[in-house]
Amino acid sequence: MKNKALSTLMATAITATLVLPMSTANAASSQIQSNSYETHVAAAKKVIGESVTIKNITKDTVITSNGTFRIQSALKPLFDTSNKAALTNARATIVVKNGQITDVTSLILNKAGTSKKSVYFDGGDAQISGDLTVNADYVKIQDVSVDGQLIITNRVKKAVTLDEVAVEETITLKPIVTKKVSWLYVTLIDMKSSNINLERTKVNISSDQTLSKVDVVGKVTSFEAMSNIEKLTIDVANDFSLYGEGKIEQIVVKGGTKVALDSGHLVNNVQVDDSRVSVTLPVIDKKELNTLIASPPYVQVSVNGYDVLNTDKWTTQTERTAFESVVTSARAVANNNSASQEQVKNAISQYKNALAVYQAAQKSGTKYGYGDKASLQSLINSVQYVTVSWNNGSDVYYNNPWTTQSEKNAIDSAVSSAQAVVNNYYASQTDIANAINNLNNAIWTYKNAYKYGNNGYYIEKTSLQTLITSATTGIGSVSNKGDGSDVPLYSQWTTLSEYQKIMYAIEQAQLVYNNYQATQTEITNAFNNLNDALIYYNNMKTTKYN
């Protein structure tokens, strides 16, 4: 990774290269010296070749500001006529021998698409032996090999897509200097072993492949990753928030002020190198672990099974103690507020392995008894009660199970009825069988009524509801014809397509708001998504004046 001073020089140089036109004298000189060398400042390194602006493409030639050149066969996919739109006014550094382009040592794409129609650049598996720079919105690049960096400049403000692009160095997103920054959506398709250098805030990266390395640096305040990441390094100047979902093997925090990592990601390890940074750790998912330890399936303990009914299972005390030890360890992890997701995962794995061993050791008893009341009593004793909440779980610690009082009363009633059968000397085998069946059903109903507490995590939904209300009341007229001729005079209108988009965004936000178990990260993401959709919708409104 280049240092910050060099990054600043590169960013400045890119702007200069893209904005300043080539003088007539320089152009003439470049045409005469077809094999000249220049320093490509955009990549902050010496790049072999001559700098040209691409004017047009034919089947066999490239027409540039420095003349017309034939194309070496290996490079023809880059300059295929299907790429004519994408290469319009593109800036390239080329190596020319005997009037033929033999190498492309840098390429800057300046042609933008729209939200409805992207500009496609298909490299056909050809190679760019230097940097590839994307300098416009709604560009989709596919099937090209880049020996240097793939640079996304600050002029890309909405979206860019990379599909099967092999980048030797890093995918670098340059910072944007403006007070109001919208989210930039970067889609990676079949991009293996991608290394990303993120210098820009409010970037959403989605990938169907695991990202090898993501370095977040500089004045980045927020980043949303909808993907798996092997290593995420955060070295920012101020506050930072991570959003998204997926699995992150390791997060390293090197700098920042307040760094919030409580996204929807499953994080195995967090390393904080700077003790001065205040880090909000990832939310650890203990739901499965809490469910497992809520009611371990213990059986009776016996020496030889003679005292255990033939309908019941038993183990020795040694086998019972071994399983209990693992259950105790799992409960310690569940109750440890500092436990990592990796520790939780290991505790679940160890519990399941120990349970398999414990169940394999179980044997049936050999005692026959009238009515098998012992089985019913064993089932009664197995009931594991959880906390009763009077405030919808807000008085129960986060991720701990709870039920309402009425649900607790239902299981109490079932237990009392079963105990009455046990205590009834004249109870028949049918009475006992029915009691076992009824209690089993009550236990199943009780466990399925479990909900999980949220004490310690304040879920703020007011802002989301306010935005939903604002978006709903701000809906304008809809032109089914698409030209506004069918809407009232002086009304604001959009096409049916834009109306459907904002209504879908409102519907998704309302679903999150209505979800009692929604996390703060989900609420925040829903707010951001609806806010972006509302901004886009308002920008698409047109007022009818005649």
Side-chain angles (χ1 to χ4, degrees), residues 288-299:
E288 182 180 4
L289 180 59
N290 284 328
T291 300
L292 290 174
I293 64 177
S295 54
Y298 294 122
V299 296

Side-chain angles (χ1 to χ4, degrees), residues 373-449:
K373 288 185 178 181
S375 299
L376 179 55
Q377 187 64 62
S378 178
L379 183 60
I380 292 171
N381 295 339
S382 74
V383 176
Q384 297 284 330
Y385 296 100
V386 297
T387 303
V388 171
S389 173
W390 300 92
N391 296 300
N392 291 324
S394 62
D395 53 345
V396 180
Y397 196 78
Y398 182 77
N399 254 350
N400 281 359
W402 64 272
T403 66
T404 63
Q405 183 62 57
S406 62
E407 290 158 344
K408 171 68 161 46
N409 292 342
I411 189 65
D412 282 342
S413 176
V415 168
S416 296
S417 297
Q419 192 65 57
V421 173
V422 172
N423 297 338
N424 181 8
Y425 180 79
Y426 298 102
S428 67
Q429 185 62 52
T430 300
D431 293 334
I432 295 171
N434 289 338
I436 290 174
N437 184 59
N438 292 338
L439 183 54
N440 269 321
N441 290 337
I443 292 173
W444 184 88
T445 301
Y446 180 63
K447 288 184 176 180
N448 277 276

Side-chain angles (χ1 to χ4, degrees), residues 257-317:
T257 305
K258 295 180 180 178
V259 175
L261 303 178
D262 51 339
S263 64
H265 292 93
L266 173 65
V267 181
N268 282 338
N269 178 262
V270 177
Q271 174 183 322
V272 181
D273 290 349
D274 189 342
S275 60
R276 296 171 297 178
V277 181
S278 174
V279 178
T280 303
L281 294 173
V283 175
I284 306 302
D285 184 3
K286 297 181 180 179
K287 185 179 293 184
E288 182 180 4
L289 180 59
N290 284 328
T291 300
L292 290 174
I293 64 177
S295 54
Y298 294 122
V299 296
Q300 296 182 59
V301 172
S302 177
V303 175
N304 50 28
Y306 295 164
D307 55 339
V308 179
L309 290 172
N310 62 337
T311 55
D312 292 343
K313 297 289 186 179
W314 66 275
T315 67
T316 65
Q317 184 61 57

Side-chain angles (χ1 to χ4, degrees), residues 308-493:
V308 179
L309 290 172
N310 62 337
T311 55
D312 292 343
K313 297 289 186 179
W314 66 275
T315 67
T316 65
Q317 184 61 57
T318 301
E319 292 160 340
R320 169 71 173 259
T321 300
F323 181 52
E324 285 180 333
S325 176
V326 175
V327 172
T328 300
S329 297
R331 282 185 172 143
V333 174
N335 295 329
N336 180 8
N337 294 332
S338 300
S340 68
Q341 193 67 59
E342 186 70 17
Q343 289 174 308
V344 173
K345 183 177 73 172
N346 290 338
I348 292 172
S349 177
Q350 290 166 6
Y351 178 96
K352 290 181 176 179
N353 291 337
L355 177 59
V357 173
Y358 179 61
Q359 289 176 332
Q362 294 173 13
K363 296 169 281 292
S364 296
T366 58
K367 177 183 176 182
Y368 289 86
Y370 176 75
D372 277 343
K373 288 185 178 181
S375 299
L376 179 55
Q377 187 64 62
S378 178
L379 183 60
I380 292 171
N381 295 339
S382 74
V383 176
Q384 297 284 330
Y385 296 100
V386 297
T387 303
V388 171
S389 173
W390 300 92
N391 296 300
N392 291 324
S394 62
D395 53 345
V396 180
Y397 196 78
Y398 182 77
N399 254 350
N400 281 359
W402 64 272
T403 66
T404 63
Q405 183 62 57
S406 62
E407 290 158 344
K408 171 68 161 46
N409 292 342
I411 189 65
D412 282 342
S413 176
V415 168
S416 296
S417 297
Q419 192 65 57
V421 173
V422 172
N423 297 338
N424 181 8
Y425 180 79
Y426 298 102
S428 67
Q429 185 62 52
T430 300
D431 293 334
I432 295 171
N434 289 338
I436 290 174
N437 184 59
N438 292 338
L439 183 54
N440 269 321
N441 290 337
I443 292 173
W444 184 88
T445 301
Y446 180 63
K447 288 184 176 180
N448 277 276
Y450 284 4
K451 294 163 279 290
Y452 292 88
N454 54 34
N455 184 27
Y457 289 82
Y458 173 65
I459 307 301
E460 200 283 320
K461 290 185 175 181
T462 306
S463 298
L464 179 59
Q465 184 58 67
T466 301
L467 185 61
I468 291 172
T469 302
S470 175
T472 304
T473 56
I475 299 298
S477 299
V478 178
S479 174
N480 291 308
K481 293 183 178 180
D483 59 2
S485 61
D486 54 341
V487 300
L489 196 61
Y490 303 116
S491 64
Q492 289 189 311
W493 63 272

Side-chain angles (χ1 to χ4, degrees), residues 9-60:
L9 172 61
M10 290 167 62
T12 305
I14 275 186
T15 303
T17 302
L18 298 176
V19 175
L20 296 179
M22 178 183 291
S23 68
T24 305
N26 286 342
S29 175
S30 296
Q31 280 184 303
I32 295 171
Q33 300 178 6
S34 62
N35 294 325
S36 66
Y37 292 79
E38 70 175 10
T39 300
H40 196 319
V41 186
K45 61 185 178 182
K46 189 172 183 179
V47 179
I48 298 174
E50 59 179 288
S51 178
V52 299
T53 300
I54 298 174
K55 299 296 185 180
N56 200 359
I57 297 173
T58 67
K59 181 178 179 182
D60 299 309

